[in-house]
Amino acid sequence: MSVLVLGGAGYIGSHAVYQLLDRGETVVVVDNLETGQRQAVHPDAAFYEGDVRDHDFLRTVFEKNFAASSLVGESMKDPLKYYDNNVSGTQVLLQMMLEHDVKKIVFSSTAAVYGEPESVPITEDMPTRPTSTYGETKLIMEKLMKRTEEAHGISFVSLRYFNVAGARETGEIGEDHRPETHLVPIILQTALGQRPHITIFGDDYDTPDGTCIRDYVHVEDLIDAHLSALDYLREGGKSDIFNLGSSEGFSVKEMIDAARKVTRKDIPAGIGKRRSGDPSILIAGSDKAKQVLGWRPSRTSVAKIIEDAWKWHSSHPNGYRKEVST
Ligand code: UDP
């Protein structure tokens, strides 16, 4: 049975493709390469470059590859077109699934659906009050799936990611966003001397060292949860929502210190202004995923996350770009 990975050329999607192939699945990748990288797509996956909002394109992909099967949904980030890309994209996708009798979807959601939490750890039953458009569109996408399930019986698992970091242990694929905005890659680019320093976005939060606290989860553990979710749906599990995090919080300063230890590099850091929309503390309660999906994260230390990310960054200082000769 084939699995379609939307966004399979992106950071998280590419890791999903490698793990699905590792366990013998047939994998089809759709990516418009706006933020994804062609080189991140495993050569054994069938690759289609195009946009999920394009009915005809997506119909062709489904006609060629799917009689009836399962889907791994992957998020598509575009800061200026969240609604169009996310909400309209999901709508077209669900239509195509109905047309081709594809009845299962594993969906990439986000901790951003919660907004500023009243307390931590955050459990799935807590209120969803997104403070960003991104979080809001993901919440709408979850609701779209719920309605489609009620009307047409498509079952879904929505996985609410906390802070995803790290890379495949072999170092062959990893995180490469352009421009890079995420903490761990920025810290490691600073360790490589590609940035003069890292700016810590605010040290006046109500946390022990004043910097924001986040819950970092290893991308390979995160993908393990997707495979468990796929098995769960294939075995007839009912639609549900799960947090994916490590249940432990680390401050920005703690992350920089951890990276100094792993890389043995001096990583200069300065304090800057708060970044708007950043909640002070986000920590997942992930017991539900462990209990219901049988998720067993095994790379839970921040040192391991940074070590694996460092393998990727130090062996691919230019990411997926070819070395530039000077
Ligand atoms: N952060 C920072 N400097 C940077 C990038 C990120 O201080 O150059 C902080 C950011 O404010 C947040 C944390 O690091 O508290 C994680 O940010 P990231 O963008 O990686 O993930 P997010 O929490 O936004 O999903």
Side-chain angles (χ1 to χ4, degrees), residues 90-258:
T90 304
Q91 191 189 329
V92 175
L93 176 66
L94 290 170
Q95 270 169 21
M96 289 306 133
M97 289 174 63
L98 288 180
E99 275 182 30
H100 296 85
D101 202 32
V102 175
K103 293 284 195 184
K104 299 174 206 59
I105 175 163
V106 178
F107 175 72
S108 309
S109 188
T110 170
V113 298
Y114 295 110
E116 184 78 51
E118 275 160 14
S119 61
V120 290
I122 303 170
T123 49
E124 292 83 352
D125 52 1
M126 285 189 180
T128 43
R129 289 184 291 239
T131 48
S132 64
T133 311
Y134 173 61
E136 196 171 67
T137 57
K138 285 285 179 174
L139 191 58
I140 295 170
M141 292 155 90
E142 286 186 352
K143 288 179 179 170
L144 253 172
M145 287 189 298
K146 179 99 188 74
R147 295 292 178 196
T148 312
E149 186 211 13
E150 285 159 10
H152 304 288
I154 283 182
S155 49
F156 67 91
V157 163
S158 181
L159 300 172
R160 292 178 174 166
Y161 303 170
F162 281 65
N163 285 64
V164 188
R168 189 168 164 93
E169 272 117 353
T170 55
E172 62 202 306
I173 50 173
E175 198 166 0
D176 180 8
H177 298 109
R178 296 171 204 175
E180 191 54 74
T181 61
H182 291 106
L183 182 66
V184 171
I186 287 179
I187 293 175
L188 297 180
Q189 287 172 354
T190 312
L192 283 172
Q194 295 173 333
R195 296 170 185 264
H197 59 85
I198 166 155
T199 304
I200 297 172
F201 298 147
D203 68 347
D204 56 351
Y205 285 93
D206 188 14
T207 59
D209 67 17
T211 65
C212 288
I213 293 178
R214 293 286 179 276
D215 177 331
Y216 295 88
V217 54
H218 196 296
V219 63
E220 293 284 86
D221 280 345
L222 184 98
I223 300 306
D224 283 344
H226 289 63
L227 302 187
S228 301
L230 197 57
D231 294 339
Y232 166 86
L233 287 175
R234 283 172 172 172
E235 285 157 16
K238 69 174 176 56
S239 297
D240 213 339
I241 294 175
F242 302 93
N243 287 342
L244 294 182
S246 69
S247 311
E248 250 191 292
F250 291 87
S251 73
V252 176
K253 281 188 177 166
E254 285 172 333
M255 292 301 286
I256 297 171
D257 280 342

Side-chain angles (χ1 to χ4, degrees), residues 39 47 52 168 218-219 283 306 314:
Q39 300 93 304
F47 177 61
V52 282
R168 189 168 164 93
H218 196 296
V219 63
I283 301 174
I306 294 174
S314 51

Side-chain angles (χ1 to χ4, degrees), residues 260-279:
R260 286 182 179 132
K261 284 203 188 93
V262 168
T263 63
R264 297 184 199 176
K265 303 272 185 198
D266 176 31
I267 302 174
I271 308 295
K273 281 197 290 220
R274 287 185 178 199
R275 186 172 66 178
S276 83
D278 268 348

Side-chain angles (χ1 to χ4, degrees), residues 28-104:
V28 179
V29 171
V30 163
D31 200 301
N32 63 8
L33 298 184
E34 255 177 56
T35 55
Q37 315 286 331
R38 179 69 186 86
Q39 300 93 304
V41 180
H42 194 290
D44 294 343
F47 177 61
Y48 294 86
E49 182 179 344
D51 197 300
V52 282
R53 290 162 295 182
D54 180 345
H55 279 78
D56 293 338
F57 163 71
L58 205 58
R59 185 169 285 115
T60 308
V61 174
F62 272 78
E63 279 166 2
K64 284 197 178 145
N65 296 283
F66 297 94
S69 92
S70 307
L71 266 165
V72 173
E74 184 51 57
S75 63
M76 309 143 281
K77 291 191 184 182
D78 183 341
L80 299 175
K81 294 182 191 161
Y82 279 132
Y83 271 91
D84 183 31
N85 198 350
N86 284 353
V87 181
S88 309
T90 304
Q91 191 189 329
V92 175
L93 176 66
L94 290 170
Q95 270 169 21
M96 289 306 133
M97 289 174 63
L98 288 180
E99 275 182 30
H100 296 85
D101 202 32
V102 175
K103 293 284 195 184
K104 299 174 206 59

